[in-house]
Amino acid sequence: ALTTNVYWKFLKANGIDKELERVFKKFNPKDIKSLQETGKKSRGLILRGKMPEDLERGILQAHQKLEEMYGRDVRVAVRTSGVCEDMPKASFAGQFESYLNVRKEDLIRIIKRCIASTFSDRAIAYRYDKKVDQLKFGLSIGIIKMVRSDLASSGIMFSLDTETGFKNVVLINSIWGLGEMIVKGRITPDEFYVFKPTLNGKGLDGRTYRPIIKKKLGRKTVKYVYAKDGGIKEAKVVGSQQLKFSLTDNEILTLAKWAVIIEEHYSKKFGKWTPQDMEWAKDGETGELFIVQSRPETVHVHSEGAARVYEEYKLETSKKPILTGIAVGERIGRGKVHIIEDVSKIKEFKEGEVLVTKMTDPDWTSIMGMASAIVTDEGGKTCHAAIISRELGIPCIVGAGKATKVLKNGQSVTVDCSNGLNGRVWEGNISYKVKKYNLEKIPKLKTKIMVNIGAPEAAFKTSFLPNGGVGLAREEFIIAQNIKVHPLALIHFDKIKDKRIKKKIEEIAVEYKNDKKEFFVRKLAEGVSQIAAAFYPKKVIVRFSDFKTNEYRQLLGGELFEPLEDNPMLGWRGASRYYDPKFESAFALEVKAIKIARQEFGLKNIAVMVPFCRTVEEGKKVIKLIEKYGLKQYKDGLNIYVMCEIPSNVVLVDEFLDIFDGMSIGSNDLTQLTLGLDRDNGRIAYIGNERDKAVKEQIAKVIKACRRRKKYVGICGQAPSDYFDFAEFIMKLGIESMSLNADTIIKTILKLTKKK
């Protein structure tokens, strides 16, 4: 290691320290041209300097020791680290140059280039922004034997979710080859989430949990490998490797355990939660994994102990977006588009514009803070544009594909990152509202307020709202958005004759060549588990699928297996599907997915719920099927609930409660069936009202019965949010929980508090 003493001695021996003082006297931080001239002069002074003989001799002697340990011509990584780097509020990540696969004969020259990078344009701008003295900043350099990740894989790892600050997961990004390619943003890495609380736990069978709650295959078309004469070069990733994950499950779990250990170490050292941003590499010669760097995460660490504020952005438009991509952050930005195709033209950029480019790298940092929003063609959640935008609090959309072609210079646009990972760009200045809530001041109700949720991507953020768990986790969203294929089309894949459908299924389930059923099971398990992990250890009630036939037909291959019904609302749906010989094999996949979430991932806070169960006999059949496919009621704390949404559920409430552990009132269906209407029929929809006396009397009967039997009773319709007199009515009856959509939770709590 070359300490900052080497840095200062090199500058002083060449008289560069005095020259730099003169250069920086003329520096104007508000002028990009001045920034570029200052950086160029400073770097030139250093590159023309000569390494003092005693320092050069000491460096080469140390390299000789490395050769004695690892063999002749050992290749090294030359990595920089500043004395102010990785401060709690400034990471300096990527501001200085590091070099890989460096030969002995190039070592002194490369060290000088590292020292010169202290005065890269981006580093000068970043220091100014963070109020760090330009001439008191020292650089140290680590010289480390290379890990041969060019023959295997490497990546980045965080001990929290980078978008929301949710602390109970480890996020791992992985690519083939050397890790520099991730920052370049030209590829999309594989993405893995591991759930921390059960990472070292064991199930009743004694087996250790393996809580990889999300695995997403990236787009890994190129990689960096060793160049023959030193340095690195780009190489293509062969087709078969592109379709494989770049880490095994065991390696993912090993890295996650290390991330937890490292986070715990630094949290103990600093006396507060200190999440980590880490780099790792796998040696292709030995198969060993290495952590090559760890530094504090700088965006969310300050939320610990601070007043908990929840920001809610709401865009007011019915227009369709003109562009979509991966959202970074949770804000909305507006401005005029400025497309910059090359870093040499960044001085043309003006404050308040929307920066649009193919991809950024550290040389772009000086103008990123001036942007109202950033949109890039390429990149993933851990590319340079994403990392810097997140730190600066600027809305950013990466991986938009054709932003530089679709958007035009001077065009007014609105960049929206408020909808989970779904980043959207609208034409024009779209109005929006921002609401801020101090969560410490939100009062608590006697009635438990739970959440309705369908999108796993929204779960981590939603978990920060005041809540008592999830009263309704819908499988339908996961199936429609993440799986997209009818389960029977996956089960009977080999029998499908339509080549177009088969080709599309192959493309969607590309990771599952041999067993298409496993694609459904794993993706459903992952989606459910992300929701359950977000709210752990609070209860999460997962409702089995309740698609109607017309909705199932919309899934890929659905028309091959679904009948055409005149009134799907009252047709083949809910419990009646599960035990039908034509659908039982598909229901089995749903049960297996829940089994994985509970028994493999350790998410025992998951309960299940049966929808649209017309008769007690149907309920008994479904409970037997659930056991047949691997889940037993009460074993390991498993509760099985039923939706109360049919008048028969009310009339025979005690008989249903004999077999189920409680009821969740589905006020929408209960209202339509009590009043004899089809809520999909717009002409008579106005008649449907949960406050109708007939509906309220049925709800009252169910709540009283559940309380008498000491069984769970909740409601998962919108009625409590829409009608506060209705909410007051069920609160007085002693309902255990109200499960609401996320955007109505705070306003409902506040209004109900006033009505108490």
Side-chain angles (χ1 to χ4, degrees), residues 4 7-8 11 17 20-21 24 82-84 118-119 127 132-139:
T4 53
Y7 173 84
W8 295 118
L11 294 187
D17 51 346
L20 287 172
E21 288 178 11
F24 272 89
V83 291
C84 293
T118 312
F119 298 99
R127 278 195 296 272
V132 175
D133 193 305
Q134 301 285 354
L135 301 181
K136 291 183 180 178
F137 182 95
L139 199 74

Side-chain angles (χ1 to χ4, degrees), residues 182-205:
I182 282 187
V183 179
K184 295 290 183 185
R186 291 181 49 211
I187 58 172
T188 305
D190 296 335
E191 182 178 86
F192 312 105
Y193 277 97
V194 181
F195 185 52
K196 290 182 193 173
T198 61
L199 183 54
N200 292 305
K202 290 184 178 181
L204 290 178
D205 58 3

Side-chain angles (χ1 to χ4, degrees), residues 143 272 281 285 306 319 412 435 492 707:
I143 299 170
K272 63 175 184 176
E285 291 181 335
K319 292 181 180 179
S412 292
K435 287 186 178 180
H492 301 294
R707 283 175 58 82

Side-chain angles (χ1 to χ4, degrees), residues 167-178:
K167 61 167 65 175
N168 276 354
V169 289
V170 173
L171 167 61
I172 302 171
N173 284 157
S174 176
I175 60 171
W176 296 117
L178 299 165

